[in-house]
Amino acid sequence: ETGVTQSPTHLIKTRGQQVTLRCSSQSGHNTVSWYQQALGQGPQFIFQYYREEENGRGNFPPRFSGLQFPNYSSELNVNALELDDSALYLCASSFGQEQTSQYFGPGTRLLVL
Amino acid sequence: AQSVTQLGSHVSVSEGALVLLRCNYSSSVPPYLFWYVQYPNQGLQLLLKYTSAATLVKGINGFEAEFKKSETSFHLTKPSAHMSDAAEYFCAVSRGSQGNLIFGKGTKLSVKP
């Protein structure tokens, strides 16, 4: 059974650019949630995808968008990058919509210059 | 609205001493509560969770937490600290099983030899 994987591990972008982060969910899981963890802070919920549909969204602007594919892997896209988007982006997978059994990936560290 | 407050951004204990990490929550509905651990440059690992069953919850690595509704607390304890416990710990709350996770700011635990 493979765990949650994320790519890339690190990324450097400049302000105004666009970025795509990827997440492969754990085998058997059909739900993916994305979190942003700024330095020194706890993770903040961005959105969740369940069976390829967005199923809940946190307080993030529309330039944060996502996709979930038929194999339940997921992408997080961020347009018009801002300096404050620099953070660790965490992906968590689970089965169904319950949050009680989320498994987190190692994260992608994004630096915006 | 739900929120989590972790008292103490940094806790230092000696190896073999009691570990106590404090978490208070605010929730308008019966909460589900979680403790996660994050080692440097890694994602989050679930230590334990409270989902309205027994108020004393035992987790991995010898950690446990007690849900106290009257005090709106869910403090994490371990009788004897080990060097390998040095990490950052996050308390989180969700609105039942299907609400998104809301994290505290984290407590960094240092263990002195």
Side-chain angles (χ1 to χ4, degrees):
Chain A
E1 180 181 275
T2 54
V4 179
T5 60
Q6 293 186 241
S7 63
T9 55
H10 294 81
L11 202 52
I12 300 175
K13 291 285 188 179
T14 56
R15 196 170 46 181
Q17 284 189 310
Q18 178 264 342
V19 69
T20 297
L21 310 182
R22 295 178 175 83
C23 172
S24 290
S25 57
Q26 184 163 310
S27 177
H29 287 179
N30 56 11
T31 303
V32 171
S33 302
W34 285 92
Y35 293 83
Q36 181 196 65
Q37 185 179 13
L39 200 61
Q41 301 293 317
Q44 282 197 294
F45 176 70
I46 303 175
F47 44 56
Q48 181 187 78
Y49 278 83
Y50 171 63
R51 293 185 176 178
E52 303 179 57
E53 304 248 342
E54 188 178 290
N55 180 48
R57 188 180 183 92
N59 189 27
F60 280 81
R63 60 189 184 83
F64 285 77
S65 63
L67 280 174
Q68 187 178 33
F69 300 100
N71 67 354
Y72 303 125
S73 66
S74 177
E75 286 183 354
L76 164 65
N77 299 290
V78 188
N79 294 322
L81 283 167
E82 301 178 0
L83 299 181
D84 285 349
D85 295 334
S86 296
L88 180 68
Y89 288 85
L90 295 164
C91 162
S93 77
S94 56
F95 180 75
Q97 299 173 68
E98 294 204 357
Q99 306 293 350
T100 57
S101 299
Q102 288 193 63
Y103 293 83
F104 282 80
T108 293
R109 190 164 295 281
L110 172 65
L111 177 62
V112 182
L113 301 176
Chain B
Q2 296 169 295
S3 65
V4 170
T5 301
Q6 291 185 242
L7 299 174
S9 59
H10 194 180
V11 170
S12 182
V13 301
S14 297
E15 192 173 20
L18 171 72
V19 175
L20 170 60
L21 304 182
R22 300 177 187 273
C23 172
N24 288 90
Y25 69 91
S26 171
S27 179
S28 57
V29 298
Y32 281 28
L33 293 158
F34 308 80
W35 275 99
Y36 283 86
V37 61
Q38 186 175 36
Y39 297 99
N41 300 314
Q42 292 188 27
L44 299 173
Q45 182 183 8
L46 180 66
L47 277 177
L48 50 79
K49 60 187 179 187
Y50 166 77
T51 57
S52 74
T55 56
L56 182 62
V57 182
K58 294 188 184 298
I60 61 171
N61 302 339
F63 285 94
E64 62 182 38
E66 186 173 6
F67 172 68
K68 291 187 176 180
K69 184 178 179 180
S70 61
E71 299 177 9
T72 61
S73 69
F74 190 59
H75 302 330
L76 182 71
T77 60
K78 181 174 180 178
S80 176
H82 192 272
M83 296 296 290
S84 61
D85 295 327
E88 189 146 25
Y89 293 79
F90 292 93
C91 181
V93 63
S94 73
R95 185 185 178 91
S97 67
Q98 298 188 14
N100 57 279
L101 293 174
I102 297 168
F103 286 87
K105 292 188 175 182
T107 297
K108 187 173 182 179
L109 176 66
S110 300
V111 182
K112 300 175 289 188

